[in-house]
Amino acid sequence: MSNVVTSPRQDPWARLRGRLFHFYFLLRRPMTLGVRGLVHDTATNSVFLIRHTYVPGWQLPGGGIEIGETFVESLARELEEEGNIVLTAPPILRSIHLNKQATKRDHVGFYLIEAFRQDRPKQPDHEIAEAGFFPLDALPEGMTPATRRRIAEVFEGKEASPYW
């Protein structure tokens, strides 16, 4: 009689069963994750905002986290795509929010970025209609409510809402 104890994870059928349960829960409880970044240029006291071609309003850059990406990897990718902005130090996680407007399972990690570089301004393309830095005392009309809330939480000390 053997004293070797085998783990259920070593059994191919147990692995398959585990994968099937994982797939079942993905279908039953799909969750989406996203990131947004508040890029703050401390020298000019301005923030970077974008306006998409497909939804109204000025908002913070960001987007969905792809399979295999971390929150910070996704944020870095989105900042580069939407603003030609490269992180030069780790961003600061400020809060995590439930975005009930999207689905009941959409969560957004919100980061503050103060260490970055932008080699050239973002030019309009198929996704971004406009992008640029705006002084905090001269923010553009038409910002989304969530963008206004995040800016107020960071710069006016407002309590972070659990909702996006």
Side-chain angles (χ1 to χ4, degrees):
M1 185 155 146
S2 172
N3 290 334
V4 177
V5 177
T6 59
S7 164
R9 285 292 186 197
Q10 293 173 339
D11 177 1
W13 292 111
R15 279 199 307 268
L16 177 61
R17 190 172 45 251
R19 287 184 185 265
L20 289 173
F21 276 117
H22 182 73
F23 182 69
Y24 168 77
F25 284 115
L26 282 176
L27 293 175
R28 285 282 293 140
R29 299 186 214 166
M31 182 184 300
T32 56
L33 297 172
V35 291
R36 293 282 177 163
L38 178 56
V39 181
H40 178 222
D41 183 344
T42 56
T44 61
N45 201 29
S46 59
V47 295
F48 184 78
L49 299 174
I50 61 169
R51 195 172 60 75
H52 283 108
T53 58
Y54 52 89
V55 292
W58 287 95
Q59 51 193 288
L60 301 168
I65 297 174
E66 300 293 335
I67 294 172
E69 277 185 327
T70 66
F71 278 77
V72 173
E73 289 169 342
S74 178
L75 180 63
R77 176 181 50 77
E78 291 288 348
L79 290 173
E80 195 161 345
E81 289 174 3
E82 296 182 349
N84 296 326
I85 293 172
V86 176
L87 297 172
T88 58
I92 300 164
L93 177 63
R94 290 295 304 239
S95 49
I96 297 176
H97 305 267
L98 173 61
N99 184 2
K100 294 192 305 186
Q101 286 78 21
T103 70
K104 295 179 182 178
R105 303 283 295 164
D106 184 47
H107 294 80
V108 180
F110 172 58
Y111 288 84
L112 175 63
I113 298 103
E114 293 183 320
F116 67 94
R117 73 172 187 276
Q118 184 187 44
D119 296 334
R120 64 195 184 288
K122 173 65 178 172
Q123 298 301 313
D125 60 25
H126 68 282
E127 181 185 4
I128 306 298
E130 294 180 86
F133 282 90
F134 295 88
L136 284 172
D137 60 0
L139 294 171
E141 292 292 320
M143 285 193 314
T144 65
T147 299
R148 288 191 182 284
R149 284 192 299 273
R150 300 299 85 78
I151 289 172
E153 289 165 4
V154 171
F155 297 108
E156 298 171 19
K158 304 274 182 175
E159 183 176 341
S161 168
Y163 303 103
W164 186 251

